[in-house]
Amino acid sequence: MRHRILLLILLLGLGTVLGGWGAVQNGLLGPWCELAAGLSARLMHLLGSNVVQSGAVLQDPQSHKAIMVSWGCSGADATFILISAILVYPASLRAKLLGLMTGFAAVQGLNLVRIITLYELNRYSEPLFNFAHAYLWQGLLMLDVLVFLLLWLRWQRTN
Amino acid sequence: MNDGLKTFLLRLFFLYPLCLAGWWALAGFQVETMAAVTSGILEMLLPHLEFASQTQWETILIQVQGSEGQASVIIDPLVLTRGLPIFFALMLAAPEFERKRRALLVGALAIFVAAIMGLASETAVRMAEAVPNLDQANRVPAAFIQIIAKSVATRVLPVGLWLWQSWGFVAGFAKK
């Protein structure tokens, strides 16, 4: 089983190299970031916010403070880790497909929460925004992936 | 959940904020250590350049002087060590932790070394970007090392080492 962990580690490395590659960032992750920003804006509108979205930028019309959803904030890296782990694990095709779909939704859902909280923090406190942006949410998203994977492993065993 | 998963998740829920707070409390020590080691490594690898570093709370200012010009680079090194609280929380929450204290220290050291590699390579890339004629030969390999080291320090090592050490726990409830 440990050779699968090595394969997983290689996949994670590959994902990061691809993520750091400018062509991938601009071609694939650009629209992904805009989509994440758009969904976040819609959710915030539902909650009564008057945020203005322009591409991958979310701006507060009063203070003009803005955040930009870049590839690091798109949740793409966490999603890639999740996909790699599910693909590597010896489960049935049905379990893998279900894991990929629900996992994608879990990671991207939490990522929308991240974008919304970062937008609000940026309006009120720059130090808090910096801490949450650079350190806190990165770890939380990583743990979200791990917890989902553990739950998925357990579910696919019993089903 | 009678296989330890619930206990593990509960422990993780409480331990991650504590580990993050501890890591943040040691930010000054981390930044000082990384600045000193990185300057030493860069001086060793690039003897034709002179390096000087200054630290603030969470940033390092590295100044480099060469015959072609000079550059100042400001870097946040804590971005590279943010895998440490994840690794500590995962290891401490795992049920076999009592038998694996040494792995905790070795893993933390490995993450720190990868973070220093990331910091040194990022400095090399940024100074080459700042001054066009300064050490361009190492720009591409340094950029490649930077991407790999950041991935290794923040994701691959924290998760991979925990998974490696706690495989018995994970496999215990995953296998049929």
Side-chain angles (χ1 to χ4, degrees):
Chain A
M1 188 54 71
R2 290 197 174 187
H3 70 279
R4 288 182 183 275
I5 300 176
L6 282 177
L7 183 59
L8 175 62
I9 290 169
L10 282 175
L11 276 171
L12 298 185
L14 177 69
T16 307
V17 172
L18 284 174
W21 188 22
V24 176
Q25 286 184 30
N26 296 330
L28 173 67
L29 298 177
W32 189 334
C33 294
E34 289 183 17
L35 184 64
L39 287 172
S40 304
R42 285 190 179 191
L43 276 173
M44 284 190 277
H45 288 154
L46 287 176
L47 297 170
S49 168
N50 55 356
V51 60
V52 176
Q53 182 219 346
S54 173
V57 175
L58 297 172
Q59 189 174 37
D60 177 23
Q62 272 84 47
S63 63
H64 300 293
K65 287 186 174 178
I67 62 167
M68 189 174 82
V69 182
S70 64
W71 85 271
C73 309
S74 66
D77 49 351
T79 305
F80 194 87
I81 290 170
L82 181 87
I83 291 171
S84 304
I86 290 177
L87 289 181
V88 163
Y89 192 79
S92 67
L93 185 62
R94 176 178 162 270
K96 285 187 182 194
L97 284 174
L98 209 63
L100 288 173
M101 285 190 293
T102 51
F104 185 84
V107 173
Q108 289 303 314
L110 188 66
N111 196 55
L112 292 182
V113 176
R114 163 163 81 164
I115 293 170
I116 293 169
T117 54
L118 289 177
Y119 169 79
E120 293 296 336
L121 282 175
N122 187 48
R123 289 172 63 199
Y124 298 110
S125 168
E126 196 175 331
L128 272 179
F129 166 80
N130 289 335
F131 180 82
H133 176 241
Y135 314 124
L136 177 66
W137 268 113
Q138 298 286 342
L140 287 178
L141 218 61
M142 181 69 71
L143 291 178
D144 176 48
V145 169
L146 273 176
V147 169
F148 177 85
L149 282 172
L150 292 176
L151 292 171
W152 175 75
L153 284 173
R154 194 175 181 282
W155 170 83
Q156 67 87 34
R157 179 193 68 175
T158 52
N159 291 275
Chain B
M1 291 188 194
N2 55 359
D3 47 15
L5 185 56
K6 188 177 178 182
T7 311
F8 171 75
L9 294 180
L10 271 173
R11 282 182 186 169
L12 194 60
F13 180 79
F14 287 108
L15 281 169
Y16 179 63
L18 288 176
C19 291
L20 190 69
W23 168 83
W24 185 246
L26 292 171
F29 169 74
Q30 292 181 67
V31 172
E32 289 282 348
T33 309
M34 290 177 80
V37 176
T38 302
S39 294
I41 288 173
L42 287 170
E43 278 172 9
M44 198 170 62
L45 293 176
L46 306 167
H48 60 290
L49 300 175
E50 287 179 26
F51 292 91
S53 65
Q54 288 180 315
T55 59
Q56 290 178 341
W57 168 240
E58 60 189 53
T59 56
I60 301 175
L61 169 67
I62 296 178
Q63 291 171 306
V64 55
Q65 174 83 47
S67 56
E68 301 89 349
Q70 60 179 20
S72 296
V73 178
I74 297 173
I75 296 178
D76 175 2
L78 296 177
V79 166
L80 295 161
T81 63
R82 67 188 177 204
L84 280 171
I86 298 172
F87 175 67
F88 271 73
L90 287 170
M91 287 293 285
L92 292 171
E96 307 102 328
F97 169 66
E98 290 302 319
R99 291 185 283 115
K100 298 190 173 159
R101 285 182 185 170
R102 188 179 291 177
L104 189 74
L105 294 175
V106 172
L109 189 65
I111 291 169
F112 207 69
V113 168
I116 285 171
M117 281 178 62
L119 182 61
S121 52
E122 186 173 353
T123 307
V125 173
R126 299 265 295 274
M127 72 185 193
E129 285 172 351
V131 180
N133 294 323
L134 197 64
D135 199 48
Q136 288 297 316
N138 294 313
R139 184 173 175 173
V140 172
F144 188 71
I145 292 170
Q146 180 200 358
I147 292 172
I148 296 290
K150 188 174 181 183
S151 165
V152 167
T154 59
R155 299 187 186 97
V156 176
L157 278 179
V159 178
L161 285 174
W162 167 74
L163 204 55
W164 191 275
Q165 286 297 322
S166 305
W167 185 244
F169 164 63
V170 176
F173 63 81
K175 277 182 181 173
K176 285 186 179 177

